[in-house]
Structure formats: structure tokens, C-alpha cells
């Protein structure tokens, strides 16, 4: 399939094309030393951490978060606009003189927010890829083809549709258990099934192609199962060959201790990651980051934003499990702590295509985060529970995710993942102790957390 055909199969059309520029088109571009008005899109713990970090910048004039959550208001002003309502975002940006829009979550990127604003004269710059670049996350089939085209190490795979379901079953027979089935399109993090029995895998393939995840599973990627330990590598790229590698993190996806039970959005994270040492990162840069950054340029795909590499180490060798086109959550809640440099000028330079030699310094300390979640998550859970113990954390930073403020300022739960309790430490134990102290202080009915965040990395380090 050609790239273009592939893009046509994406779930989102380029929506609501701009009519005419609401911006002052004659205005000169902001000098890269002036103060910036920034609009951050999203409402999770990731956005709370990005807001915190940007709020520390001497280059920040004013930060708005749309729509934000019960914690982001501490770092800027929450505005009630959907990240998918591009027209409303453009009107707001014109009204407030926004210089830069930082896109936290993938949905607006896959829906083409970059292209929408690029077409408007005088519009703010966007931190995030074009719609074509966002296909790295929006279509797993496109991502796999891209990796094959650029010889980037990844699991062997084939893609199937309803017309080729029988071939899909035959392909499954050539693989060893467990079987990995992935919905091609976005499926709110639920589109990957890992199944032990061949018969069940065939049945699930039929169900997926029959609409289990709606249009997202009209194409299914079947791939070889890789055994190893995972980590998340984040790259900020300017689309002109300039890039910076951010501190490496590891997240904990399963709900249960010892990595058991269903997948979640992420139950905690740690940075740095002991096995992502110099030699491993050299291989990552050489075999994965460079071919990705250069491959995007070679294919004419504009990409000025974060590339999230979900990696797995197989016998010391890095392989790509997935691309995302945004920062990770809860990885951001530790990565932001470990960036010592001012983030805002780096984001602006990436968005303007000129990262140049701008340094990105790492904080040498450990950072950990422990997510407190609503009982029942990732299944059904209650909302609106009163939260106490979250307003004056000692020795930790609380990045809110699913929280909301009542008009009187009190806090209630509004999602599955509620608060990411982040902390520094001179070593992993010290950071974890501070994260858990904070997580134990936060209180609401049904609160749950994993108690084993970071323990696998501690064992590896022994
Ligand atoms: P993804 O949404 O592609 O990141 O997949 C979700 C999770 O499924 C990953 O973080 C891995 O833990 C697991 N996974 C995905 N693909 C593979 C694979 N080929 N081999 C082993 N585990 C996988
Ligand atoms: N923590 C994994 C993700 O953000 O997709």
C-alpha cells in the first residue's frame, strides 16, 4: 500500500478547514528571546507535568491549558475548549495573542491540528507533527511499513483486513505463542491483544476485523511476540534533522503488582532506566532515532515535536514496539523532573525548525512517580469522590490527572488515573519513598496504587 493510500485509511479526516486568518497576518514573528504566550492542549497528568515545567520558564508570559484539570490551574489558566475544536482554538489563540500551541495528546495531531494552523497566516507555531507524521501513532500498519522502509528493528509482522482474514489465520499458524494482535487505528490504548492460544487468537482476529474496535480494527497488525524489558525513549525533533534525546523512562502498564492483570494507561514511572546505558543508547540513536528522523525528512513528512519510541530490549538489542507522536503518560511526570534546562526555548526552537546547538541538560537525580487510581480502573469506577491530602504535598510534586475542582476549590475525582505522585531522590529508593509518602497522604474512596513501582529495575541494578 502506498503512503498516501495508507493515510486515507486513517480514522480522522482533516476536519474543519480554516476559512480566513483571525490572526494579524502582517505581524512579524516573535523573536526567540521574547516572552511567549503558550496554549497547552490536554487534560491528563502529562499535561499537568508539562504545565509545571513550562511555568518555571523565565520566557513564559502566560500559560493557558485547554481544558486542563484540577491541578493545571496552579500553573496557568484553564480554558474550557476541546483540543479537537480547531476553530475555537484558533479564535482563542487570536484573541489572547498565543505564540505557541503545545499539543499534549495524540487525538488533535492525528486529526491534523498541525496542518490546520500551518494553513493560517500568522498563526501560532505548533509543537507536534503534521497529520502525515501523526500516522506513526494513528496507523500501526503505516508505522510498521515506515520501519521496514528504513530498516528500523521491529517485530516481524503482517497486516490483514476482513477480505484477508483466512490468510491472517494462516499467518498466526506460522508464529509461536503468545500471539500479538493490534488494531491499526487509535483505540484509547486498548487495541493490543496478547493471546496464549492459537484458537483464541484466530477468534479474536475475526472479532477485531468484525468491528471489535470499530473502524480502528478494520485493519489488524499481527506480529511476532518479543520477550524483553521495555523502556520509553523521547526525542524532540525540529523537522530539519535537529533533535534532542530526553531522559529515558520506564512505565508500568499493568494494573496489578508483578505486571499482572489488564493494561492501563500507566501506573507509575521511573527515570533513569538502569539498562538504558551508554551502549544501549548508542544503538538506539544509530539504529532507531537517526533513521526515524531522517526517514521522515526523506519522505517529506513535517515533524516538529515529540517522538515517543516504545522500545524493548531483546538480548541487549533495542527494538521498536510502537511509535507515539506525543509524550508518554506517566513518563512525562518523571521526564519533566529530570530536564534541568528551560524547556520552553527548546519547544519553541523545535516548533520553528531550528534546535541548532541548544543544550538539553539532565538532572542527575532519580525521579519516580506513583499513580493513585480509582478502584475498579481500568474497568468501571466511580467519579466525583472527594479527594483530601492533595493540596500541600511535602517532598513531592503532585501532577493531577483525573481531578476536578468544585466551585469552592475542593477537589473531586473525575477519571481512572487520579494523581501522579512524583518525587526526586539521590537514588531510586529515596525517590520512591517520597512518591509513596505522598501517595499515602492522598485520600479518596476506592483509592488504589501499585506498591511495586521500580522494583524490577532495582533487581536489575543489584
Ligand atoms: P502498544 O500499544 O503497541 O504499545 O502495545 C501495548 C503493550 O503490548 C506494549 O507496551 C507491550 O507491553 C505489549 N506488546 C506490544 N507489541 C508486542 C510485541 N510484539 N511483543 C511483546 N509485547 C508486545
Ligand atoms: N505510558 C504509555 C503511553 O503514554 O502511551
Amino acid at each position: 500500500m502506498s503512503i498516501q493510500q495508507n493515510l486515507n485509511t486513517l480514522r480522522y479526516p482533516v476536519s474543519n478547514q480554516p476559512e480566513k486568518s483571525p490572526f494579524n497576518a502582517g505581524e512579524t514573528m516573535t523573536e526567540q528571546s521574547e516572552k511567549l504566550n503558550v496554549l497547552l492542549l490536554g487534560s491528563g497528568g502529562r499535561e499537568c507535568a508539562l504545565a509545571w515545567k513550562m511555568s518555571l520558564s523565565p520566557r513564559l508570559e502566560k500559560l493557558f491549558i485547554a481544558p486542563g484539570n484540577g491541578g493545571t490551574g496552579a500553573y496557568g489558566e484553564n480554558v474550557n475548549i476541546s483540543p479537537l475544536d480547531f476553530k475555537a482554538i484558533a479564535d482563542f489563540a487570536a484573541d489572547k495573542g498565543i505564540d505557541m500551541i503545545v499539543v499534549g495528546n495524540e487525538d488533535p495531531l492525528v486529526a491534523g491540528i498541525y496542518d490546520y494552523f500551518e494553513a493560517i497566516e500568522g498563526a501560532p507555531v505548533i509543537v507536534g507533527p503534521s497529520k502525515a507524521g501523526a500516522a506513526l501513532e494513528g496507523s500501526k500498519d503505516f508505522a510498521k511499513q515506515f520501519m521496514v522502509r528504513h530498516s528500523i528493528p521491529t517485530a516481524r509482522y503482517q497486516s490483514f483486513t476482513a477480505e484477508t482474514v483466512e490468510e491472517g489465520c494462516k499467518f498466526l499458524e506460522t508464529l509461536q505463542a503468545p500471539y500479538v494482535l493490534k488494531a491499526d487505528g487509535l483505540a484509547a490504548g486498548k487495541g493490543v491483544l496478547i493471546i496464549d492460544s492459537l484458537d483464541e487468537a484466530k477468534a479474536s482476529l475475526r472479532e477485531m476485523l468484525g468491528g471489535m474496535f470499530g473502524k480502528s480494527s478494520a485493519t489488524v497488525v499481527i506480529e511476532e511476540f518479543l520477550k524483553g524489558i521495555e523502556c520509553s525513549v523521547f526525542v524532540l525533533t525540529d523537522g530539519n534533522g535537529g533533535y534532542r534525546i530526553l531522559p529515558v523512562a520506564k512505565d508500568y502498564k499493568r494494573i496489578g503488582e508483578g505486571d499482572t492483570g489488564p493494561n492501563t494507561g500507566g501506573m507509575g514511572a521511573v527515570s533513569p532506566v538502569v539498562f538504558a546505558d551508554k551502549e544501549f543508547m548508542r544503538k538506539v540513536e544509530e539504529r532507531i532515532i537517526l533513521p526515524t528522523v531522517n526517514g521522515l525528512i526523506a519522505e517529506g513528512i513535517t515533524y516538529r515535536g515529540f517522538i515517543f519510541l516504545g522500545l524493548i530490549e531483546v538480548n541487549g538489542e533495542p527494538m521498536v514496539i510502537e511509535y507515539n507522536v506525543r509524550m508518554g503518560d506517566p513518563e512525562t511526570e518523571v521526564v519533566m523532573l529530570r530536564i534541568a534546562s528551560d524547556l520552553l526555548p527548546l519547544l519553541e526552537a523545535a516548533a520553528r525548525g531550528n534546535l541548532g546547538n541548544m543544550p538539553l541538560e539532565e538532572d542527575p537525580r532519580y525521579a519516580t512517580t506513583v499513580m493513585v487510581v480509582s478502584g475498579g480502573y481500568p474497568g468501571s469506577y466511580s467519579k466525583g469522590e472527594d479527594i483530601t491530602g492533595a493540596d500541600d504535598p511535602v517532598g513531592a510534586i503532585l501532577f493531577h490527572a483525573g481531578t476536578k475542582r468544585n466551585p469552592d476549590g475542593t477537589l473531586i475525582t473525575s477519571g481512572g488515573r487520579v494523581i501522579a505522585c512524583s518525587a526526586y531522590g539521590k537514588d531510586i529508593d529515596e525517590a520512591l519513598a517520597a512518591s509513596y509518602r505522598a501517595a499515602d497522604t492522598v485520600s479518596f474512596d476506592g483509592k488504589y496504587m501499585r506498591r511495586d513501582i521500580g522494583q524490577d529495575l532495582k533487581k536489575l541494578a543489584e
Side-chain angles (χ1 to χ4, degrees):
M1 213 192 277
S2 75
I3 301 171
Q4 196 49 50
Q5 276 171 323
N6 229 300
L7 295 179
N8 290 342
T9 64
L10 286 181
R11 193 160 64 120
Y12 295 105
V14 171
S15 49
N16 45 359
Q17 288 296 340
E19 300 122 33
K20 71 178 186 44
S21 175
F23 300 93
N24 186 347
E27 229 172 56
T28 52
M29 261 191 4
T30 326
E31 285 292 318
Q32 284 192 31
S33 53
E34 285 175 19
K35 291 214 168 194
L36 298 173
N37 287 322
V38 178
L39 173 61
L40 170 65
L41 302 182
S43 60
R46 166 184 49 217
E47 286 73 31
C48 198
L50 283 165
W52 167 78
K53 181 68 182 161
M54 290 195 287
S55 75
L56 301 176
S57 173
R59 291 277 319 281
L60 183 72
E61 179 73 36
K62 177 115 206 221
L63 176 65
F64 298 92
I65 308 102
N69 60 35
T72 52
Y75 311 115
E77 187 180 326
N78 287 349
V79 286
N80 193 15
I81 299 177
S82 158
L84 284 169
D85 190 345
F86 300 167
K87 170 86 170 63
I89 294 168
D91 289 344
F92 178 83
D95 184 41
K96 300 290 182 192
I98 298 294
D99 302 295
M100 178 164 77
I101 299 177
V102 180
V103 187
N105 56 326
E106 65 275 17
D107 286 345
L109 295 166
V110 175
I113 192 168
Y114 180 96
D115 312 65
Y116 181 93
F117 279 91
E118 200 195 20
I120 308 176
E121 232 191 310
V125 289
I126 305 281
V127 179
S130 64
K131 185 179 162 81
L136 282 183
E137 177 165 358
S139 166
K140 291 197 188 287
D141 180 53
F142 171 80
K144 294 297 281 192
Q145 291 192 40
F146 179 87
M147 288 186 261
V148 170
R149 281 198 294 279
H150 300 286
S151 307
I152 293 167
T154 189
R156 192 160 65 90
Y157 85 105
Q158 278 185 34
S159 298
F160 301 94
T161 61
E163 287 76 54
T164 56
V165 61
E166 298 310 325
E167 281 111 301
C169 290
K170 290 215 177 70
F171 183 62
L172 280 168
E173 286 168 10
T174 71
L175 300 173
Q176 305 275 319
Y179 304 92
V180 182
L181 274 59
K182 300 185 172 184
D184 175 55
L186 297 183
K190 298 191 171 74
V192 175
L193 304 183
I194 298 180
I195 300 168
D196 286 324
S197 104
L198 180 61
D199 285 343
E200 269 180 50
K202 288 180 180 176
S204 295
L205 175 66
R206 289 181 200 283
E207 277 177 50
M208 286 175 89
L209 292 172
M212 187 192 228
F213 300 104
K215 277 193 201 140
S216 291
S217 60
T219 297
V220 171
V221 170
I222 301 179
E223 68 180 34
E224 177 185 41
F225 180 82
L226 299 174
K227 201 167 162 38
I229 187 160
E230 292 177 52
C231 66
S232 306
V233 170
F234 301 96
V235 178
L236 178 66
T237 176
D238 67 4
N240 284 320
Y243 65 88
R244 295 290 175 279
I245 304 172
L246 277 55
V248 181
K250 180 178 191 299
D251 80 338
Y252 293 80
K253 289 195 174 73
R254 304 290 197 93
I255 188 73
E257 284 164 22
D259 293 328
T260 53
N263 257 328
T264 70
M267 297 295 292
V270 173
S271 179
V273 176
V274 59
F275 65 87
D277 56 15
K278 242 186 168 156
E279 177 57 9
F280 182 79
M281 288 308 292
R282 187 190 62 75
K283 292 177 187 169
V284 170
E285 186 163 13
E286 196 175 292
R287 299 177 195 172
I288 298 169
I289 296 174
L290 275 166
T292 300
V293 166
N294 293 334
L296 288 165
I297 296 171
E299 295 190 17
I301 296 173
T302 306
Y303 203 119
R304 296 174 167 179
F306 295 111
I307 307 175
F308 170 161
L309 305 165
L311 302 182
I312 188 161
E313 185 212 53
V314 183
N315 304 320
E317 308 300 321
M319 296 182 78
V320 178
I321 289 274
E322 65 167 345
Y323 283 111
N324 293 307
V325 299
R326 47 164 176 89
M327 288 296 293
D329 193 353
E331 290 95 326
T332 308
E333 289 93 306
V334 292
V335 171
M336 289 303 127
L337 264 64
R338 295 209 54 243
I339 297 178
S341 306
D342 186 353
L343 183 65
L344 211 54
L346 283 158
L347 294 179
E348 189 196 15
R352 293 200 191 286
N354 57 10
L355 265 172
N357 297 322
M358 198 173 277
L360 191 156
E361 308 284 350
E362 291 195 2
D363 189 306
R365 287 174 290 178
Y366 259 88
T368 57
T369 198
V370 172
M371 192 65 86
V372 292
V373 307
S374 302
Y377 173 79
S380 59
Y381 53 84
S382 65
K383 290 183 186 176
E385 303 295 347
D386 291 323
I387 304 172
T388 57
D391 277 326
D392 296 301
V394 178
I397 306 172
L398 301 194
F399 294 127
H400 291 219
T403 75
K404 233 167 68 177
R405 295 241 175 231
N406 289 318
D408 65 1
T410 54
L411 209 55
I412 53 171
T413 64
S414 65
R417 292 192 292 170
V418 178
I419 296 181
C421 304
S422 299
Y424 285 109
K426 66 175 183 314
D427 53 29
I428 191 168
D429 283 325
E430 196 177 274
L432 284 169
S435 280
Y436 278 113
R437 251 193 319 272
D440 284 329
T441 307
V442 172
S443 170
F444 56 88
D445 269 4
K447 180 183 86 167
Y448 169 76
M449 73 184 99
R450 268 180 68 165
R451 290 272 169 195
D452 65 341
I453 302 303
Q455 295 307 312
D456 55 342
L457 293 179
K458 276 184 61 182
K459 281 208 190 86
L460 277 181
E462 276 162 13

